[in-house]
Amino acid sequence: ILNVEQSPQSLHVQEGDSTNFTCSFPSSNFYALHWYRWETAKSPEALFVMTLNGDEKKKGRISATLNTKEGYSYLYIKGSQPEDSATYLCAFGPSNTGKLIFGQGTTLQVKP
Amino acid sequence: GAGVSQSPRYKVAKRGQDVALRCDPISGHVSLFWYQQALGQGPEFLTYFQNEAQLDKSGLPSDRFFAERPEGSVSTLKIQRTQQEDSAVYLCASSLKRRGETQYFGPGTRLLVL
């Protein structure tokens, strides 16, 4: 059974705080690791797709790292803003299939 | 450009009723995926199409669930004789080609079975 775990489950921070979340995934049969941001009543928005061990990606104040050997990825948000409030999902893409296996998400609430 | 659209956005069904959920993928996208998200969980894979071919339906929870994509574009997920445990958000995603690429999601259909 392929399992993807995210921590923490939820997080409350003050505006301006930096924060990070963890995604753990199987280290075997790896093809890609995806991060999505999902705001209430909207479509999940793709943030990053990472495929190579050691990959680091950045989009504005958000960045992500990937370690495929040990099976984890970190998502960092620098200087959180209220508009960053959302659920952040990571998804593991196995090498033998197109489907994604999602973690349960980390819900971030940024207080002004 | 237009993203993935899904209809209806909300559906309330009585237990035992049949429902049909529609997905319009991004034009030209070859792959189409359906996921089910129960409350407090991450999305779970249901089925996958490449053009009109259903290549993987291993995630469909029972034979009451049926999906089709007859012309390789619009897809319909049908649930027969709905049960309360079918209450969930049903997400559709499309990607240009196959595995490893970004999957673009629609806003989902929230199904409530009473």
Side-chain angles (χ1 to χ4, degrees):
Chain A
I1 296 176
L2 299 175
N3 209 28
V4 177
E5 299 283 344
Q6 289 188 248
S7 62
Q9 194 168 348
S10 65
L11 197 53
H12 291 77
V13 301
Q14 289 293 135
E15 182 175 355
D17 288 350
S18 293
T19 187
N20 65 84
F21 327 132
T22 303
C23 172
S24 301
F25 54 87
S27 55
S28 61
N29 204 27
F30 174 87
Y31 192 85
L33 193 284
H34 301 242
W35 281 100
Y36 286 87
R37 173 170 61 200
W38 195 1
E39 295 178 65
T40 304
K42 294 187 178 179
S43 304
E45 174 197 354
L47 292 174
F48 306 112
V49 180
M50 295 185 288
T51 56
L52 298 176
N53 184 44
D55 242 356
E56 291 189 26
K57 298 248 175 154
K58 189 174 180 182
K59 185 177 182 178
R61 293 179 291 100
I62 305 176
S63 60
T65 62
L66 179 68
N67 183 323
T68 60
K69 294 188 188 305
E70 296 180 40
Y72 65 83
S73 175
Y74 294 135
L75 187 78
Y76 300 92
I77 303 179
K78 184 178 178 182
S80 303
Q81 300 295 309
E83 58 265 30
D84 296 328
S85 298
T87 295
Y88 291 82
L89 292 164
C90 74
F92 167 72
S95 60
N96 58 349
T97 175
K99 69 183 178 187
L100 297 180
I101 300 167
F102 282 85
Q104 75 276 34
T106 293
T107 299
L108 172 68
Q109 188 75 30
V110 182
K111 298 176 188 176
Chain B
V4 178
S5 61
Q6 292 186 245
S7 61
R9 292 290 309 274
Y10 303 92
K11 177 70 179 177
V12 178
K14 292 182 180 177
R15 192 171 53 181
Q17 189 178 349
D18 295 350
V19 298
L21 312 180
R22 177 187 168 107
C23 173
D24 283 83
I26 294 172
S27 178
H29 277 198
V30 167
S31 296
L32 186 145
F33 304 83
W34 283 99
Y35 295 87
Q36 178 193 58
Q37 192 206 21
L39 194 63
Q41 304 295 318
E44 290 194 2
F45 170 80
L46 293 176
T47 187
Y48 158 52
F49 290 86
Q50 189 172 328
N51 296 306
E52 69 278 2
Q54 190 174 20
L55 297 187
D56 187 347
K57 54 181 181 179
S58 61
L60 295 176
S62 77
D63 58 8
R64 296 185 295 104
F65 286 71
F66 171 77
E68 60 182 4
R69 193 186 185 199
E71 296 177 0
S73 56
V74 171
S75 177
T76 304
L77 177 67
K78 297 179 180 177
I79 309 173
Q80 296 177 323
R81 305 181 302 281
T82 52
Q83 304 294 312
Q84 285 186 320
E85 61 263 28
D86 299 335
S87 297
V89 175
Y90 290 85
L91 290 164
C92 174
S94 69
S95 68
L96 190 57
K97 292 178 184 174
R98 272 187 57 197
R99 59 192 175 93
E101 293 195 341
T102 297
Q103 294 185 16
Y104 296 90
F105 282 83
T109 294
R110 185 175 295 276
L111 173 65
L112 177 62
V113 182
L114 301 175

